[in-house]
Amino acid sequence: MKEALRSVGVPTAASAAVSSAASAREFAERVGFPLILKPRSGAGASGTVRVDSVAELDSALGVFGGQGVESIAVEEFVEGHEGFYDTIAVDGRVAVDFVSHYYPNVLEAMRTRWISPQFVATNRIDSAPEYGELRELGARVIAALGIGTSATHMEWFFGPKGLRFSEIGCRPPGVGAWDLYSAGNDMDLYRAWADAIVHGSVGGSPSRRFASGIVALRPSQDGSISGYSGVDELQQRYGEWVIDAHLPPPGTPTQGVEAGYMANAYVRMKHPDYDTLRGMLDDVGRTLHVYAS
């Protein structure tokens, strides 16, 4: 995928598929550290590691070898903010699109228990000109890969090296992102997808009335959920802006931090102002505690 996009000038991190330690070390010598390693059979951030030296590279390769991994993706580490650009494309044309931001980036979020990570869908995509470059990049990727009528989910980074493509799939985003888009835009994305496939048209456009987002709440430790604090306080403060919340009852087995945004407890919210929503989600992350034993 990345080789195809680099060949038409789409900016993306240097990467390679390697099946030997020698090939991995050759890539590291050519590109430099840090690097990202990921089993090619992995999904999401599963199994992904960052290495900053030859010693760390050799250690990670040893772990992958012990797990029977036959091929890994090795990639230049791109510093910057991470987000995703999602579309429904019809005959290769973007018919409807959305932009979401990760706080913090996924690799950090899936490794650090005390963080209550968020992703937030902006409602400023039409009004903030800075999103123009991202929309142009997304359209170029869809055209270059010959994507016709499909949902798409594209990850990107923006940092000192500018905007960089990360990856794309011909599918909706995971972890309920379409629920957030639907709640924030007065439309049913699932129906729009069906209309695109059956009728060749999404049958509407997003209102951009609300920004919407999710904050994941990690239990204090792995085990079984024993209780919560801060729920009533937050309901009184922000109840009108809550889309829904998932608070598994006491006794529910927990899942590890690496299991993702909807693995344990979470709250989803919306607000007309993006910055206000970010502040509310931060407050939920600080105030609503999940206890486990």
Side-chain angles (χ1 to χ4, degrees):
M1 173 182 61
K2 288 179 178 173
E3 289 174 359
L5 292 175
R6 277 194 291 267
S7 71
V8 295
V10 172
T12 185
S15 62
V18 301
S19 55
S20 71
S23 296
R25 294 190 191 102
E26 186 278 328
F27 182 90
E29 183 176 343
R30 175 164 46 87
V31 174
F33 292 98
L35 296 173
I36 297 295
L37 308 181
K38 176 181 176 179
R40 296 183 72 197
S41 58
S46 175
T48 303
V49 296
R50 169 178 164 165
V51 297
D52 293 275
S53 66
V54 173
E56 290 183 8
L57 173 63
D58 288 344
S59 176
L61 293 174
V63 171
F64 288 141
Q67 295 171 342
V69 175
E70 296 182 353
S71 180
I72 65 170
V74 55
E75 183 173 294
E76 171 192 13
F77 177 78
V78 177
E79 180 184 357
H81 173 66
E82 184 179 6
F84 48 103
Y85 177 67
D86 294 331
T87 81
I88 296 175
V90 177
D91 294 331
R93 177 185 58 84
V94 174
V96 62
D97 61 354
F98 305 90
V99 174
S100 292
H101 298 267
Y102 287 116
Y103 301 102
N105 288 357
V106 174
L107 195 59
E108 181 181 0
M110 296 302 109
R111 300 292 185 271
T112 312
R113 179 177 294 278
W114 66 265
I115 293 174
S116 296
Q118 310 167 19
F119 66 80
V120 187
T122 184
N123 59 341
R124 296 173 176 170
I125 181 173
D126 295 330
S127 59
E130 293 81 4
Y131 289 111
E133 182 183 2
L134 177 60
R135 295 172 108 170
E136 180 184 2
L137 177 69
R140 288 176 63 196
V141 169
I142 287 169
L145 296 179
I147 297 171
T149 298
S150 177
T152 75
H153 174 60
M154 187 185 91
E155 304 270 348
W156 53 267
F157 288 89
F158 184 83
K161 297 180 180 179
L163 182 63
R164 291 289 185 271
F165 168 86
S166 177
E167 62 184 15
I168 193 169
C170 288
R171 61 169 178 83
V175 288
W178 269 17
D179 297 343
L180 295 177
Y181 300 158
S182 296
N185 290 279
D186 304 295
M187 68 183 302
D188 181 344
L189 263 294
Y190 302 94
R191 174 64 181 265
W193 188 19
D195 283 341
I197 298 298
V198 176
H199 303 298
S201 169
V202 297
S205 59
S207 68
R208 314 294 190 197
R209 191 153 65 104
F210 299 102
S212 53
I214 181 173
V215 54
L217 304 163
R218 271 72 179 273
S220 56
Q221 63 186 54
D222 289 329
S224 296
I225 291 175
S226 57
Y228 300 87
S229 64
V231 177
D232 293 340
E233 174 186 349
L234 290 166
Q235 178 63 29
Q236 292 177 358
R237 196 178 302 166
Y238 303 125
E240 66 178 307
W241 304 117
V242 174
I243 299 170
D244 59 13
H246 177 67
L247 304 175
T252 302
T254 66
Q255 297 188 64
V257 168
E258 70 282 356
Y261 294 83
M262 303 181 89
N264 295 290
Y266 61 84
V267 176
R268 300 193 287 190
M269 307 177 76
K270 64 182 181 181
H271 194 275
D273 183 76
Y274 179 86
D275 294 322
T276 300
L277 177 63
R278 284 283 331 276
M280 293 193 305
L281 292 168
D282 284 345
D283 195 19
V284 172
R286 288 189 300 263
T287 306
L288 203 166
H289 298 290
V290 187
Y291 301 103
S293 57

